[in-house]
Amino acid sequence: MTSSELRSLFLNFFQERGHAVVASSPLIPGNDPTLLFTNAGMVQFKDVFLGREERGYVRAASSQRCVRAGGKHNDLENVGYTARHHTFFEMLGNFSFGDYFKRDAIRYAWEFLTGVLGLPPERLWITVYDQDTEAAAIWLNEVGIDPNRFSRIGTKDNFWSMGDTGPCGPCTEIFYDHGAHIAGGPPGSPDEDGDRYIEIWNLVFMQYDRSADGTLTPLPKPSVDTGMGLERIAAVAQGVHSNYEIDLFRTLVQAAAELAGLSNTDNSSLRVLADHIRSCAFLVADGVLPSNEGRGYVLRRIIRRAIRHGYKLGIRDVFFYKLVAPLCAEMGEAYPELVAARATVEQVLRKEEERFAETLDQGMKILETHLKGLSGTVIPGETVFQLYDTYGFPVDLTADIAREHGLTPDLAGFEKAMEAQRERARAASHFAVDYSQDVAVDVHCQFTGYTHLADDARVVALLKGGK
Ligand code: ATP
Ligand code: MG
Ligand code: MG
Ligand code: MG
């Protein structure tokens, strides 16, 4: 079963059960300035959950394009390392706006997985929020789940929220056991971080609206919001472990391998390229352009990471935009807007690559020299800052390289160097240009301006979080 067939199967299943099939919304949320990107299927329905908007239906289903590369949900650092994370993915979801609640949501999910897809129940593992006795009773007493494949979990994993504010609630998650030959323990166990048990579907029972001060206000009507990664369920349906082995990704990985002149496709940089072309192309198609702040800076960071991985594979010419064609071939039917934007996407990626290529090579050589002379496992903050300031290496890009060498960047030192630079600029501004204002990027990335410093500070904070 191809990914496309699976998408249709899911939407048809819920359509037959009274759900309106709603098209994916763009990656830039139309109704929420607090959210960087659409990161879940529920985003376009946020106001419906909050009771602020009425639609002509109380049940919906969608296949929503999502990006998780910034903000509350950020999986950028996982790409290339886990079998299940992408920066861009499609989230299949069914929604109830004050219509059905826990019982039907659980039953539909179980019927789709075991009935329609025919997955063996003994391969599935269920978790519930530890205080949600109602959901636990439905699973154990009504569905008849084996208590040995069932766990109760606290807030961290089983209380879902879109962002710091907005609709949220307890959830129940369904995992697939890919087999004992893969490392990793069941959900809730100390070694759950492996990729043996992969979360495929999250059912959120939307009950609250969280305000900025953390207060939870009950929603007008309890609702349901579910999300299942298309790529993850495709891996299960196609009998492969990693998302990168499904039909769609095999083609993209193969295309990247051809550009790199490689016959062996088992290479994490190829997987990174296959992942990054999807987020970059869809972001540009949805109107984001590389820049030094906000969404545009996230896009720039992803593009530059992709180009660096190409460099690592030995590619020395402008190449990344060439992956747009195979991507359109794979996904154009489901997303005609991507095909419509193809020429723009290629042009934008190409331009960004040409700009960065000028400094990447020099920056890499400088870094290699530094690495040779390095004692210990920490890349000094001054070096990280030099790469950032002079060669346009976003700090997460340097961190990505460091990780490959078993090293870590000195982020505190980086911040200190950045602060010193800010001080110099402030002092200089008394005499000349006011650098506290937005500064345009110069083509050589010699001076990347200050508007993105806040973004980098966030990235640094995130990296410090130990991801
Ligand atoms: P994980 O714990 O594996 O990171 P999650 O709990 O963060 O997943 P949810 O926010 O519950 O994910 O999203 C709903 C579903 O979307 C997940 O069950 C999974 O199938 C899919 N999904 C989430 N993040 C990603 C990603 N980065 N790449 C691919 N699929 C994803
Ligand atoms: Mg996650
Ligand atoms: Mg999870
Ligand atoms: Mg989840």
Side-chain angles (χ1 to χ4, degrees):
M1 192 186 305
T2 66
S3 311
S4 288
E5 286 163 353
L6 203 49
R7 191 193 291 116
S8 308
L9 201 63
F10 178 90
L11 296 174
N12 290 340
F13 175 85
F14 282 101
Q15 191 167 37
E16 283 162 11
R17 283 155 188 79
H19 294 63
V21 173
V22 179
S24 168
S25 64
L27 290 169
I28 305 178
N31 55 355
D32 193 342
T34 67
L35 194 62
L36 203 53
F37 300 117
T38 300
N39 58 18
M42 58 75 64
V43 170
Q44 67 166 316
F45 302 115
K46 186 184 152 192
D47 288 339
V48 188
F49 283 119
L50 293 174
R52 290 181 193 150
E53 190 190 330
E54 284 273 336
R55 301 262 176 121
Y57 43 78
V58 288
R59 302 176 167 210
S62 67
S63 179
Q64 174 66 50
R65 54 183 181 277
C66 296
V67 163
R68 292 193 174 184
K72 176 167 162 52
H73 293 274
N74 185 344
D75 288 326
L76 186 56
E77 306 304 325
N78 289 325
V79 173
Y81 291 92
T82 71
R84 68 184 200 278
H85 287 107
H86 307 298
T87 53
F88 172 99
F89 64 100
E90 280 180 84
M91 195 184 285
L92 302 168
N94 57 290
F95 308 89
S96 152
F97 310 111
D99 187 30
Y100 61 85
F101 201 41
K102 298 184 186 180
R103 173 166 295 109
D104 287 331
I106 289 173
R107 288 201 165 159
Y108 286 148
W110 191 251
E111 187 187 344
F112 184 76
L113 294 176
T114 59
V116 179
L117 297 185
L119 303 183
E122 62 274 14
R123 285 294 193 111
L124 299 171
W125 188 292
I126 308 297
T127 68
V128 295
Y129 183 50
D130 55 9
Q131 287 164 44
D132 192 350
T133 49
E134 195 186 343
I138 296 168
W139 279 118
L140 293 166
N141 307 334
E142 297 182 28
V143 178
I145 276 288
D146 180 347
N148 292 317
R149 287 194 308 277
F150 179 83
S151 24
R152 294 177 170 85
I153 303 212
T155 315
K156 186 180 139 282
D157 278 313
N158 282 42
F159 195 92
W160 199 90
S161 46
M162 176 195 80
D164 295 331
T165 60
C168 55
C171 59
T172 178
E173 294 190 324
I174 305 173
F175 290 72
Y176 185 80
D177 178 2
H178 280 269
H181 58 292
I182 296 155
S189 71
D191 57 343
E192 67 172 345
D193 274 343
D195 263 339
R196 172 175 168 183
Y197 294 85
I198 290 189
E199 177 190 326
I200 48 176
W201 205 343
N202 195 353
L203 318 180
V204 185
F205 306 122
M206 289 289 188
Q207 281 177 281
Y208 306 105
D209 180 11
R210 197 205 306 262
S211 60
D213 66 3
T215 320
L216 296 177
T217 312
L219 290 178
K221 292 176 193 161
S223 297
V224 170
D225 151 37
T226 86
M228 171 160 67
L230 173 64
E231 301 78 3
R232 292 191 192 181
I233 193 63
V236 170
Q238 293 174 18
V240 295
H241 172 234
S242 163
N243 287 7
Y244 292 93
E245 294 167 56
I246 68 173
D247 52 341
L248 188 157
F249 269 107
R250 267 208 310 270
T251 310
L252 292 176
V253 166
Q254 183 59 41
E258 274 160 30
L259 291 177
L262 290 175
S263 50
N264 182 359
T265 54
D266 185 14
N267 182 310
S268 70
S269 289
L270 293 176
R271 292 192 285 276
V272 170
L273 290 174
D275 172 85
H276 287 10
I277 191 60
R278 298 210 312 161
S279 49
C280 294
F282 274 95
L283 283 171
V284 176
D286 278 345
V288 183
L289 291 174
S291 81
N292 279 341
E293 59 184 339
R295 296 179 173 125
Y297 192 53
V298 176
L299 172 61
R300 169 161 286 164
R301 291 198 284 117
I302 307 174
I303 298 175
R304 291 189 176 186
R305 279 172 90 121
I307 295 164
R308 204 281 300 180
H309 277 279
Y311 186 91
K312 190 180 167 205
L313 290 168
I315 306 178
R316 289 295 176 271
D317 43 351
V318 176
F319 76 99
F320 191 46
Y321 77 96
K322 292 181 187 162
L323 292 174
V324 178
L327 177 66
C328 287
E330 278 299 315
M331 299 191 68
E333 207 182 308
Y335 293 97
E337 54 270 63
L338 177 68
V339 180
R342 177 175 160 181
T344 310
V345 174
E346 287 175 337
Q347 201 193 355
V348 167
L349 295 183
R350 193 181 175 138
K351 224 172 115 199
E352 178 70 8
E353 186 165 2
E354 281 164 359
R355 165 186 275 175
F356 185 48
E358 292 179 30
T359 55
L360 172 68
D361 190 51
Q362 287 167 282
M364 286 305 297
K365 289 195 173 117
I366 298 248
L367 182 59
E368 273 152 31
T369 315
H370 277 299
L371 291 184
K372 276 196 200 104
L374 198 69
S375 57
T377 59
V378 178
I379 303 181
E382 278 296 335
T383 308
V384 181
F385 183 71
Q386 185 193 7
L387 289 168
Y388 164 80
D389 193 45
T390 312
Y391 300 100
F393 283 38
V395 61
D396 66 295
L397 187 151
T398 304
D400 191 38
I401 303 171
R403 186 168 165 190
E404 287 166 6
H405 291 82
L407 304 171
T408 48
D410 172 11
L411 298 174
F414 167 78
E415 279 175 300
K416 231 171 100 187
M418 192 152 76
E419 185 50 41
Q421 168 88 321
R422 246 184 241 140
E423 279 302 322
R424 282 196 297 275
R426 242 176 254 141
S429 72
H430 292 305
F431 306 102
V433 197
D434 180 2
Y435 286 109
S436 64
Q437 300 301 313
D438 290 7
V439 178
V441 202
D442 137 285
V443 274
H444 302 291
C445 308
Q446 295 294 330
F447 182 71
T448 46
Y450 289 101
T451 51
H452 60 305
L453 291 180
D455 290 291
D456 273 288
R458 271 202 291 279
V459 171
V460 168
L462 198 88
L463 291 167
K464 277 184 176 164
K467 266 226 172 177

